[in-house]
Amino acid sequence: STGSIQARGLTTLTIPGDIAAGGAAINITGKLGAVTAGNIGTGTTINAGALGTVRTTGDELANIVIGLGSVASTITAGRDFGGHSSFQNPLSVTVGRNMVAGSTLAASTTISKLTVKGDVAGAVTADRGITSLTAGSLTNAVITSGFALG
């Protein structure tokens, strides 16, 4: 699927197949409750004032930008995680395979959990700390934690 969605709020967005590479722009000024898809391709953008969950059975390669909020976001990628993502709210991330080289994950607050079953090859920054970090391996990874790491 490609195209764009613009709304003040959206409870659930479910795409049983893939959100194609370079194709989709999802812009929600308020809260985006949940996004579920097979794969979310490179170049897809997700912008929201607040975000509940993003869950893929395959790759999550989108650029995600989430505004200031107290509700935690949860990202679950069935395979690889990539793109450039920025969160101004607490965050938990689980990746079934690898965090790909060149990808960035930034949180201006806390990452409560970052679990990557394979290799972390991207950059991770959490201004207020990373509570739990588990990775199969690190290859040229840059991990920056403002206060505490684990």
Side-chain angles (χ1 to χ4, degrees):
S1 298
T2 60
S4 66
I5 297 171
Q6 295 195 32
R8 289 187 181 158
L10 182 61
T11 302
T12 304
L13 173 61
T14 301
I15 307 292
D18 298 338
I19 299 175
I26 301 164
N27 296 298
I28 309 299
T29 55
K31 182 175 182 186
L32 174 55
V35 176
T36 304
N39 291 291
I40 302 177
T42 304
T44 295
T45 59
I46 300 173
N47 294 299
L51 173 69
T53 63
V54 172
R55 181 177 307 275
T56 66
T57 55
D59 297 334
E60 193 294 288
L61 305 174
N63 298 320
I64 303 174
V65 178
I66 305 303
L68 183 61
S70 60
V71 176
S73 293
T74 301
I75 308 296
T76 304
R79 286 189 310 227
D80 293 337
F81 176 87
H84 302 285
S85 297
S86 173
F87 293 80
Q88 294 184 43
N89 62 319
L91 178 63
S92 172
V93 179
T94 302
V95 180
R97 198 164 56 184
N98 302 311
M99 182 175 176
V100 300
S103 61
T104 58
L105 174 63
S108 63
T109 61
T110 301
I111 297 176
S112 62
K113 178 181 85 166
L114 175 59
T115 301
V116 180
K117 293 181 181 174
D119 188 44
V120 175
V124 178
T125 303
D127 290 354
R128 294 190 185 161
I130 300 171
T131 306
S132 172
L133 172 64
T134 304
S137 61
L138 302 172
T139 303
N140 297 319
V142 176
I143 299 173
T144 307
S145 180
F147 290 116
L149 180 58

